[in-house]
Amino acid sequence: MLGDFIIRVLVMFLGYVYPAFECFKTVEKNRADVEQLRFWCQYWIIVAVLTVFERIGDIFVSWLPMYGELKLAFFVYLWYPKTKGTTYVYESLLQPFIAKYETEIDRTFLELRTRAWDMAILYWKNFSSQGQVKFYEILHYLASQSPRHTTNQMDEAQQQKAPTPEAKTVIHRHSEKQIQKPPMLLNRAVFQAQKADQNG
């Protein structure tokens, strides 16, 4: 397990990080060498093709003994200054194959791009229409729940505050007694004058 981890780290560093840094240095030169740029473009094309085929055929090749070590050696072979295997692999294997099927590949990519765009538009329309329907359903649900909920709460509060018939009688008698009692704030002369007006 540790060996696999070390091999993966080395592949990541020697297959991607170091070549990317060298490519960066080539691009950032004041007068970039066209041959160096071509070399690194060819390298990244080969790595992209290798990565795609590796993802597709991982089941078939990953179990091979020393597969990680062979992959690491291949990456180093591609960019190593003395071997510069990128030029050989690109010009003898990849370029003739791609040149032979270039029109079919272009047509396939164009069809795939058109289908992908059509599917993206279709999914967007479905998503927006379903989202709109769901949004209105949520609003309708909230609108239907809100008044009923507050009405129920108000009814419960009124029922709790509303006195029973027996309590109503007691309250009515109590209020009559309060009316018959003289108010505390009025003095006796004012009270007597009011009583005389009522009797008179």
Side-chain angles (χ1 to χ4, degrees):
M1 287 309 252
L2 184 61
D4 287 342
F5 176 74
I6 292 171
I7 290 296
R8 287 184 183 194
V9 169
L10 288 173
V11 165
M12 188 66 65
F13 181 76
L14 296 174
Y16 296 94
V17 176
Y18 176 74
F21 182 67
E22 288 295 321
C23 186
F24 171 79
K25 288 196 312 188
T26 303
V27 169
E28 291 300 315
K29 285 182 183 175
N30 287 337
R31 291 183 172 230
D33 184 14
V34 175
E35 285 303 312
Q36 277 296 104
L37 286 174
R38 181 178 168 85
F39 173 81
W40 286 116
C41 284
Q42 290 172 350
Y43 175 84
W44 290 114
I45 291 168
I46 293 168
V47 168
V49 169
L50 184 68
T51 304
V52 168
F53 281 117
E54 185 182 34
R55 294 288 180 263
I56 294 169
D58 193 41
I59 300 167
F60 305 110
V61 295
S62 62
W63 58 270
L64 291 172
M66 303 216 21
Y67 171 72
E69 290 84 353
L70 289 172
K71 184 177 171 183
L72 177 62
F74 182 70
F75 277 135
V76 173
Y77 164 75
L78 287 176
W79 60 256
Y80 191 65
K82 290 186 179 177
T83 58
K84 290 215 174 185
T86 295
T87 306
Y88 174 76
V89 171
Y90 182 83
E91 290 178 359
S92 63
L93 300 173
L94 197 60
Q95 195 268 339
F97 177 78
I98 292 177
K100 184 177 178 182
Y101 297 105
E102 186 175 359
T103 54
E104 288 85 3
I105 293 170
D106 275 339
R107 186 169 47 247
T108 305
F109 278 139
L110 187 62
E111 288 175 8
L112 287 173
R113 189 174 64 188
T114 306
R115 286 181 187 172
W117 183 250
D118 290 343
M119 287 184 70
I121 290 173
L122 179 69
Y123 279 121
W124 175 253
K125 285 181 180 177
N126 287 341
F127 174 75
S128 62
S129 65
Q130 288 179 0
Q132 210 172 26
V133 168
K134 291 291 181 190
F135 179 72
Y136 287 131
E137 285 177 4
I138 290 169
L139 284 179
H140 179 68
Y141 175 77
L142 292 175
S144 66
Q145 291 298 315
S146 229
R148 188 183 310 159
H149 185 65
T150 53
T151 306
N152 290 344
Q153 281 182 341
M154 289 173 59
D155 289 345
E156 288 174 10
Q158 287 175 355
Q159 286 174 358
Q160 287 175 356
K161 289 180 182 178
T164 60
E166 297 84 17
K168 283 182 182 177
T169 309
V170 171
I171 290 171
H172 185 65
R173 285 183 191 158
H174 181 69
S175 61
E176 286 176 356
K177 287 178 184 175
Q178 281 184 345
I179 291 171
Q180 291 171 359
K181 286 182 182 177
M184 297 299 230
L185 297 175
L186 298 174
N187 61 24
R188 197 171 269 223
V190 174
F191 177 69
Q192 287 175 351
Q194 284 179 347
K195 200 169 182 181
D197 287 339
Q198 287 176 355
N199 290 336

